[in-house]
Amino acid sequence: MPHYGWKQLIAILGDIGAFYLSIFVFSFVRYGLDWQRGLSLHLVPLSLILPFWLLTFFAGELYENQYFRFDLKLVRRSVGNIIVASVISVVLFYLFPDYLITPKTNLIIFAAVFSAAFLVWRRTFFKFLGAGLKTKTIFLGRGRVSDEVYAFLGDHPELGYKLEGKIERLETVLDHRLLRNGLDLIVVEELKEKEAAAHEILSAILLSGASVLSLEDFYEQVTGRVSLDLLDEMWFIDHLGGPETRLNSALIWLTEKIISLVGLIVVGILLPVLALAVKLDSKGPIFYYQKRVGRNKKIFTIYKFRTMRALSSNGSAEVDGKPQRTVKGDRRITRIGKFLRLTKIDELPQFWNILKGEMAIVGPRPERPEEWEELIHQLPFNSLRLLVKPGATGWAQINYKAPTNLEEVRVRLAYDL
C-alpha cells in the first residue's frame, strides 16, 4: 500500500522526538553538570510552545511531499521556519512571565541545538524512506497522461514510489515476477480485456495483496491536482453533483463571519502603520479596488492594500485599464509593496469581502471580467470555478504560483478543480 499518509505522521512524531532530545542536549550545553536543574526549569515552558512550532512547520509546508527530500531547499525552508517559531516563542514568553525564558541566551541556544537535531533526523528519515518504504508500482497503459505521471514520479523519489515499468494488458500482471515478489500498486489507465476476464484478473491481483487505482485517482493523489485530459461527464457527476446540506452551509457561514470580524480587527490595528508606509513609499491611494467575477458570474469589488505605483485613479498600475498580469521583477511594485505581497498582508482588506458574503476564506481566486471572458474560449472547464465563492486563499494558491500565461492558468485550474 502507498505510504504517503504514514510519511507525514512519522515526520511529525520524529520532529517531536527531536524537539525533546534538543531540550536534553540544550540542558547539558547550557548548564553542564547542573543539567538536571536546567531541564526542570525549561521542560514545561518549552513543551508549551511545541504546538506553535508544529503549527509553524505545517504552515511552512515542511510536511508536504515536496520537502521530503534532503537538499538545500529543505535546509533553507527549515531554518526559516525555526526562526519564525523562535520569534513566536519570544513573544509568548514575554506575554506569560511565569514561564519566562531569557530569549537572548537560552532560546537562541535551544533553537540552534534543535536546528541541528531536526536536520540530522530529517536526513536519516529520508535516507530510510528511500531505502525501505518504497511502494512498488507498475503502470497499465501507455497514454500521454500515464507517461506524464510516470516521469513525474521518476523526478520525485521523495514521494515513495518505486517504478517497476509499464505494461499494456492486465493479464500480464499474473505472470509478472513482481506479483510474486511483493507488487504493491497497479495504476490502470485503460483495460483491454473483456469485462469478465478483467474481473477475474483483478480479483486475483487484489487477493495477492496489491492495490489497484485508476490513473485519474492516482494522478490527483500524487500531484494534488486533477488532470484536465482525463475529465469526462462522470467526473462532474461524482464530484460536483451533490447538494450542500443546510447544517454545513450554516457552519461555513458562521465560521466565515467570525474569522472575517477578527481579521478586520487586525486590519484596524495595523491600518495606521500600513497606511503611513504605503503613502510614504509612493503617491496614490492606500487601498486598491478592482472588479472581479464571483459565484454565478456575479460582479463584485475586491479590496487590497496598494502594492504598485498608482497610474490610474483607482490606484491601478494600468494606464489604459487593460489587464496586465504581474511578472517576475515587475518594476511597478513598490518597495513596501514587495513586503506586503511576500507576507500576504496586502490581501487582508478582503476580510470585508468575506464579511459581505462576496468571497469565502477558501476558494479559487477571482478573475477580472475581461480575463474571464477571454478564458471561457480558451479553457472551457474554467467556468466550473464559478460554482463556488472565490476565496482569499485556496489549494492553487498554496501549491502553485500566480499564473503569468495560459499554460500556467491551466495548471492553476487543475489545482482548483
Side-chain angles (χ1 to χ4, degrees), residues 42-240:
H42 300 304
L43 182 60
V44 172
L46 288 175
S47 295
L48 291 175
I49 66 170
L50 174 58
F52 296 95
W53 285 57
L54 294 177
L55 287 173
T56 302
F57 295 165
F58 270 108
E61 302 179 345
L62 289 180
Y63 299 113
E64 298 294 328
N65 282 323
Q66 60 178 313
Y67 290 106
F68 272 38
R69 68 166 81 185
F70 194 87
D71 53 16
L72 185 59
K73 182 180 177 182
L74 170 70
V75 174
R76 288 175 176 172
R77 178 58 67 100
S78 301
V79 173
N81 276 268
I82 292 172
I83 291 174
V84 171
S86 299
V87 172
I88 293 174
S89 301
V90 171
V91 174
L92 290 174
F93 287 138
Y94 275 123
L95 290 176
F96 301 100
D98 288 344
Y99 294 108
L100 182 63
I101 292 179
T102 307
K104 292 182 180 180
T105 53
N106 292 356
L107 193 57
I108 292 177
I109 295 175
F110 173 77
V113 172
F114 176 76
S115 297
F118 178 87
L119 293 174
V120 170
W121 142 244
R122 284 294 184 106
R123 177 74 177 97
T124 305
F125 172 51
F126 297 149
K127 186 175 181 180
F128 174 73
L129 186 67
L133 289 177
K134 293 287 187 180
T135 301
K136 296 180 181 178
T137 306
I138 198 168
F139 277 68
L140 173 60
R142 295 182 178 274
R144 190 183 68 81
V145 180
S146 179
D147 292 339
E148 177 189 341
V149 179
Y150 198 89
F152 178 83
L153 294 179
D155 294 335
H156 295 82
E158 72 277 6
L159 294 177
Y161 294 91
K162 182 181 180 182
L163 300 176
E164 299 289 352
K166 298 181 179 180
I167 56 176
E168 294 188 4
R169 298 190 66 86
L170 186 60
E171 62 185 12
T172 308
V173 180
L174 297 178
D175 300 324
H176 202 284
R177 61 180 178 83
L178 290 174
L179 195 59
R180 299 189 301 272
N181 297 330
L183 180 64
D184 297 310
L185 177 64
I186 302 171
V187 180
V188 179
E189 180 176 14
E190 60 178 345
L191 292 175
K192 295 183 178 181
E193 287 81 4
K194 293 182 179 180
E195 184 175 345
H199 178 76
E200 183 178 346
I201 297 170
L202 285 171
S203 297
I205 291 172
L206 294 173
L207 287 173
S208 73
S211 297
V212 180
L213 282 178
S214 68
L215 179 61
E216 176 188 333
D217 290 339
F218 185 72
Y219 185 100
E220 185 171 354
Q221 179 175 290
V222 298
T223 66
R225 60 182 188 267
V226 302
S227 171
L228 301 184
D229 296 317
L230 296 177
L231 297 188
D232 57 19
E233 292 78 5
M234 289 305 300
W235 186 91
F236 298 112
I237 293 174
D238 291 340
H239 294 82
L240 303 177

